[in-house]
Amino acid sequence: MYLSNTSLSKFIQCPAYGFYKYILNIRKKKEFSGNSNSNTAFGQIIHHAFEVYGREKDLEKAIKSIYDNPLSQSLSHSSKKNILTADVLVRKGVMMTKGMDIIEVEKPFKFQLGENYWIGRWDAIVKDNGLIYVMEYKTTGSNEFQIRPNSQVISYYVGAREYFENVGGVYVYVMQADNQEIKNFFVRPTPNEIQEWKEETIWLMKQVTNYINLNIYPKNERACHQYNRECEYLPLCKSFGKVRENLMNSMYEKFERRNLDEVE
């Protein structure tokens, strides 16, 4: 089985959510999903611009990709997360990496963890003064970044050490739309942190395996309205039998996603 930081955390937070999203691979149809999430669009636009810069080493091409991106149409000019803010943040982010050699962008990785595999994707891998560093760009959520505990950062570091020698650590750039600034954090997990994370994650992976083997996916009502948004699967969790089946056919659709037993 292959799990990522997102899929594992979603399964543990609410197994029912994990079932619908990662086992059935369904999502709400557009006509039932409400307005597009501008926060997500903003993040995707910035990530794509950094990817363009990493591949082309051309700042102007990266900036052009922001304005050419179809997702830019979903950004409101009245919101702080607008296209001009994306422009400013990408320029500042590129300046912060000057002198570093970008050797990989949007690079998927995997490594074995117990009986299963951990998968992820690095935003970028850079080389600086003979050391390898993982780059992570954060564009959503709070302006404050929690360094510890942070399972995603630990997994990125552990994964990098499986692929490269002389790994220095992880740089996290937190994009602050409010003031168009970037907070830069450096993380190098200690051996004790890594060992504890591995033990805890292997145990959590076993819980997901149990859900799948037993075909039982408990609902967690505390996750139904997290972040002041209704979970897209709440209509299914509130219904039973034929009603649920009819809702699934009328409101939801299959979408392409790697199954938990597949990896790129």
Side-chain angles (χ1 to χ4, degrees), residues 20-34:
Y20 290 124
K21 185 159 190 175
Y22 298 104
I23 302 298
L24 294 187
N25 292 340
I26 61 172
R27 64 185 175 192
K28 269 189 178 179
K29 295 178 180 177
K30 286 186 178 180
E31 58 264 38
F32 297 105
S33 61

Side-chain angles (χ1 to χ4, degrees), residues 9-250:
S9 63
K10 291 294 187 183
F11 253 111
I12 298 306
Q13 184 181 73
C14 180
Y17 181 101
F19 171 68
Y20 290 124
K21 185 159 190 175
Y22 298 104
I23 302 298
L24 294 187
N25 292 340
I26 61 172
R27 64 185 175 192
K28 269 189 178 179
K29 295 178 180 177
K30 286 186 178 180
E31 58 264 38
F32 297 105
S33 61
N35 297 328
S36 61
N37 190 333
S38 60
N39 286 335
T40 301
F42 182 77
Q44 291 174 343
I45 289 169
I46 287 182
H47 275 82
H48 178 65
F50 279 122
E51 180 181 0
V52 171
Y53 177 75
R55 296 190 190 281
E56 303 288 339
K57 308 299 190 293
D58 188 319
L59 177 58
E60 293 313 311
K61 284 186 178 180
I63 297 302
K64 185 175 184 297
S65 76
I66 296 174
Y67 294 89
D68 291 346
N69 197 314
L71 289 173
S72 65
Q73 301 302 316
S74 64
L75 299 183
S76 170
H77 292 292
S78 61
S79 169
K80 291 180 179 179
K81 291 188 174 181
N82 56 56
I83 196 168
L84 295 178
T85 297
D87 183 318
V88 171
L89 291 175
V90 169
R91 291 180 187 275
K92 288 186 175 182
V94 168
M95 288 302 298
M96 292 171 70
T97 60
K98 283 293 184 183
M100 297 181 180
D101 181 18
I102 303 173
I103 59 176
E104 297 277 6
V105 291
E106 292 296 323
K107 174 71 174 177
F109 67 90
K110 70 172 182 176
F111 58 88
Q112 189 163 1
L113 204 52
E115 298 177 355
N116 299 297
Y117 286 88
W118 187 267
I119 61 174
R121 183 181 294 271
W122 299 304
D123 288 341
I125 297 291
V126 304
K127 192 171 185 179
D128 188 29
N129 292 323
L131 294 177
I132 295 294
Y133 297 93
V134 178
M135 306 294 295
E136 170 68 7
Y137 306 115
K138 290 293 185 187
T139 58
T140 57
S142 169
N143 288 333
E144 295 301 321
F145 175 70
Q146 179 173 296
I147 296 178
R148 291 181 171 86
N150 190 309
S151 61
Q152 183 183 40
V153 171
I154 294 177
S155 71
Y156 282 5
Y157 179 73
V158 173
R161 295 205 306 178
E162 293 283 334
Y163 284 73
F164 305 99
E165 295 181 356
N166 302 320
V167 177
V170 180
Y171 282 110
V172 183
Y173 288 178
V174 180
M175 312 286 164
Q176 299 179 293
D178 291 351
N179 57 10
Q180 297 185 342
E181 295 292 341
I182 299 176
K183 278 191 174 181
N184 180 16
F185 297 88
F186 175 73
V187 186
R188 183 184 173 94
T190 67
N192 286 339
E193 284 181 278
I194 294 171
Q195 183 60 33
E196 191 170 271
W197 173 79
K198 286 182 175 180
E199 292 171 354
E200 293 172 350
T201 304
I202 288 171
W203 186 87
L204 291 173
M205 284 178 156
K206 290 179 180 178
Q207 306 314 303
V208 175
T209 301
N210 288 337
Y211 294 141
I212 295 172
N213 290 340
L214 296 173
N215 196 29
I216 296 176
Y217 302 91
K219 308 173 188 68
N220 176 15
E221 64 272 17
R222 294 184 180 180
C224 294
H225 295 90
Q226 200 167 41
Y227 309 119
N228 297 317
R229 288 190 301 178
E230 180 180 292
C231 173
E232 66 174 314
Y233 303 113
L234 183 57
L236 299 178
C237 291
K238 291 166 67 175
S239 59
F240 301 91
K242 282 290 184 182
V243 175
R244 179 183 292 168
E245 185 178 330
N246 290 336
L247 285 174
M248 201 175 295
N249 291 331
S250 62

